[in-house]
Amino acid sequence: GILIGTSIKYLILSCLCLIVGKKEGLEFPSFDGRDRVLNVNERNYKKALKKYDMMCLLYHEPLPSDKELQQQFHMGEMVLELAAQVLEDKDIGFGLVDSHKDAKVAKKLGLEEEGSIYVFKDERVIEFDGELSADTLVEFLLDLLEDPVELISNPMEQRAFERMDEDIRLIGYFKGEDSEHYKAFQSTAEKFQPYVKFFATFDKGVAKQLTLKMNEIDFYEPFMDEPVTIPGKPNTEEEIVDFVNQHRRPTLRKLRAEDMFETWEDDMDGIHIVAFAEEEDPDGYEFLEILKEVARDNTKNPDLSIVWIDPDEFPLLTTYWEKTFKVDLFRPQIGVVNVTDADSVWLNMPNDEALPSAEELEDWIEDVLSGKVNTEDDDDDDDDDYDDNDDDNCIDSVYFND
């Protein structure tokens, strides 16, 4: 879920839409002062849900009496107002649900986590687990408006599909839109939209290039060269759902603004192996290629999951991470982070820019997984190299709440 009280500066800065562009054609929308966000209560919630194709609700604590906390709450509300303004013609409703005043409504709608945004679409409730900024929320909602399955019908679209190596994606080959097996695939796609991407082809040539047989579905894990075929074709909806759930945590995954909280909450026994690498930087790119090699060699290890963070994509968090983890993010880094207190231990890479080989990285990862390297080791050290993080600076309480 999302903390409304993350930090006023962080929300103000991340809500870039509040900046008005100076040139025609590049004007970011500024809030026009018209309230579009509804206070949802027992009298109006049914009507609101019926009125719109999609309803986006922020479930929040009662308005605090503290001035600063009030300001933080209003920043969260402003993100919703701006998203509502931008998407005005898209038939999406926006609302606020007070956890105390409207507790009955919250219970009926299944809202549980204060500070979270829930999206109602058809019979589904989708929790938005991304950064609370207008641009990220708008992108998420626009993704939800798309068809749950994207069709690949020519070589150009196929090449574009093959380049999407950061995403979990599935592709199936079916006879046509009326095929019962395609319909089962489509129905599954709706359950995972927009977090898992589903593609299909009815084209024999595309299927041949992708080595897909009729009614066969391939699952692509991020950064892997070869897909895994879901066994037992043709597959039922239940089989596809089970397969996706079993394989949903990739060996190497990228932290993204649209699902950063979900990724951070999906830890392995309270820790994350975290790699920082700037893809546009030569050293960062080289390190990322080494990480991919390690991930491919160990893709069958259910205990290994590495979170890759590109600092370029989170400029407002970079100095916070550097202070918390005591690392220089202008250089590639890999470490193990405790998600409860943000205590961390980082692989020592010499300053001569000699990056570890895939074998050296694998040896270090083995030590992490076996417990030889862990975040408690340095707690009693006099030099206190890693263990100087204030509780209120912890990554969970500030940016990735639990």
Side-chain angles (χ1 to χ4, degrees), residues 86-344:
V86 170
L87 298 173
E88 196 163 24
D89 61 345
K90 298 289 185 192
D91 206 25
I92 303 173
F94 290 81
L96 300 167
V97 180
D98 187 305
S99 63
H100 286 218
K101 272 198 268 178
D102 305 304
K104 282 183 183 173
V105 174
K107 195 175 179 187
K108 282 175 188 168
L109 295 176
L111 312 183
E112 291 174 355
E113 199 174 346
E114 290 173 331
S116 280
I117 287 177
Y118 294 88
V119 183
F120 291 77
K121 184 191 179 192
D122 303 323
E123 301 299 308
R124 287 182 67 209
V125 183
I126 304 123
E127 187 174 351
F128 169 68
D129 254 332
E131 172 196 355
L132 187 59
S133 68
D135 50 353
T136 306
L137 179 59
V138 165
E139 188 178 352
F140 179 86
L141 294 171
L142 288 174
D143 280 349
L144 267 179
L145 288 178
E146 298 274 341
D147 289 334
V149 178
E150 191 172 331
L151 294 178
I152 306 289
S153 52
N154 59 52
M156 200 180 289
E157 290 174 350
Q158 179 202 321
R159 283 196 294 275
F161 165 80
E162 287 171 336
R163 280 199 295 268
M164 299 172 64
D165 68 342
E166 291 178 3
D167 298 293
I168 298 176
R169 66 221 137 97
L170 291 88
I171 186 161
Y173 173 38
F174 306 99
K175 198 169 184 180
E177 292 199 23
D178 295 331
S179 153
E180 62 175 301
H181 308 304
Y182 173 67
K183 285 177 177 166
F185 185 72
Q186 206 174 20
S187 188
T188 309
E190 287 170 8
K191 288 184 165 61
F192 290 102
Q193 189 189 18
Y195 292 117
V196 179
K197 302 200 181 307
F198 281 68
F199 297 83
T201 189
F202 308 138
D203 183 283
K204 196 185 283 185
V206 170
K208 189 180 178 186
Q209 287 298 313
L210 293 169
T211 65
L212 279 169
K213 297 184 174 72
M214 181 62 72
N215 297 322
E216 198 167 69
I217 300 165
D218 276 356
F219 177 95
Y220 285 77
E221 187 183 329
F223 309 112
M224 296 296 149
D225 291 328
E226 297 297 325
V228 180
T229 301
I230 301 182
K233 71 171 179 82
N235 304 104
T236 63
E237 184 181 334
E238 191 180 2
E239 286 169 346
I240 308 169
V241 168
D242 286 348
F243 190 90
V244 173
N245 283 333
Q246 277 174 35
H247 294 78
R248 198 169 168 187
R249 183 194 281 125
T251 314
L252 176 63
R253 53 187 161 165
K254 187 178 184 183
L255 191 75
R256 304 179 300 184
E258 63 266 30
D259 56 5
M260 60 199 278
F261 295 102
E262 183 185 50
T263 300
W264 199 256
E265 286 164 7
D266 182 31
D267 54 77
M268 305 283 273
D269 299 322
I271 64 154
H272 274 304
I273 296 175
V274 175
F276 286 100
E278 294 179 5
E279 194 171 14
E280 297 294 315
D281 171 74
D283 284 342
Y285 179 83
E286 187 187 338
F287 188 60
L288 189 55
E289 291 304 305
I290 296 166
L291 276 178
K292 288 178 190 176
E293 191 184 327
V294 170
R296 286 170 191 143
D297 288 348
N298 295 276
T299 186
K300 290 196 164 50
N301 183 348
D303 297 324
L304 178 60
S305 181
I306 303 167
V307 176
W308 163 42
I309 301 176
D310 189 333
D312 277 349
E313 296 186 13
F314 297 93
L316 302 173
L317 278 167
T318 302
T319 52
Y320 163 76
W321 280 327
E322 287 187 325
K323 183 184 169 197
T324 302
F325 300 140
K326 298 184 169 45
V327 286
D328 172 11
L329 295 187
F330 283 105
R331 300 174 61 238
Q333 304 284 354
I334 188 164
V336 54
V337 177
N338 184 315
V339 299
T340 310
D341 58 10
D343 214 359
S344 62

Side-chain angles (χ1 to χ4, degrees), residues 11-122:
L11 280 174
I12 290 171
L13 287 167
S14 66
C15 193
L16 292 172
C17 299
L18 292 175
I19 302 165
V20 181
K22 297 229 169 89
K23 301 271 185 193
E24 288 296 322
L26 270 185
E27 290 200 16
F28 287 91
S30 54
F31 181 47
D32 63 6
R34 203 178 117 213
D35 289 341
R36 292 172 179 82
V37 177
L38 188 67
N39 283 313
V40 174
N41 53 45
E42 226 176 343
R43 291 190 310 280
N44 64 15
Y45 83 96
K46 283 184 184 170
K47 190 179 171 187
L49 288 171
K50 270 185 196 164
K51 185 178 175 184
Y52 298 100
D53 282 351
M54 259 170 30
M55 191 76 195
C56 179
L57 298 178
L58 171 58
Y59 180 51
H60 65 90
E61 294 175 350
L63 188 64
S65 51
D66 178 82
K67 279 269 170 66
E68 191 178 327
L69 291 174
Q70 276 183 23
Q71 203 175 347
Q72 290 178 18
F73 169 79
H74 289 310
M75 282 304 303
E77 190 180 14
M78 184 57 67
V79 167
L80 240 60
E81 285 287 3
L82 217 63
Q85 181 180 319
V86 170
L87 298 173
E88 196 163 24
D89 61 345
K90 298 289 185 192
D91 206 25
I92 303 173
F94 290 81
L96 300 167
V97 180
D98 187 305
S99 63
H100 286 218
K101 272 198 268 178
D102 305 304
K104 282 183 183 173
V105 174
K107 195 175 179 187
K108 282 175 188 168
L109 295 176
L111 312 183
E112 291 174 355
E113 199 174 346
E114 290 173 331
S116 280
I117 287 177
Y118 294 88
V119 183
F120 291 77
K121 184 191 179 192
D122 303 323

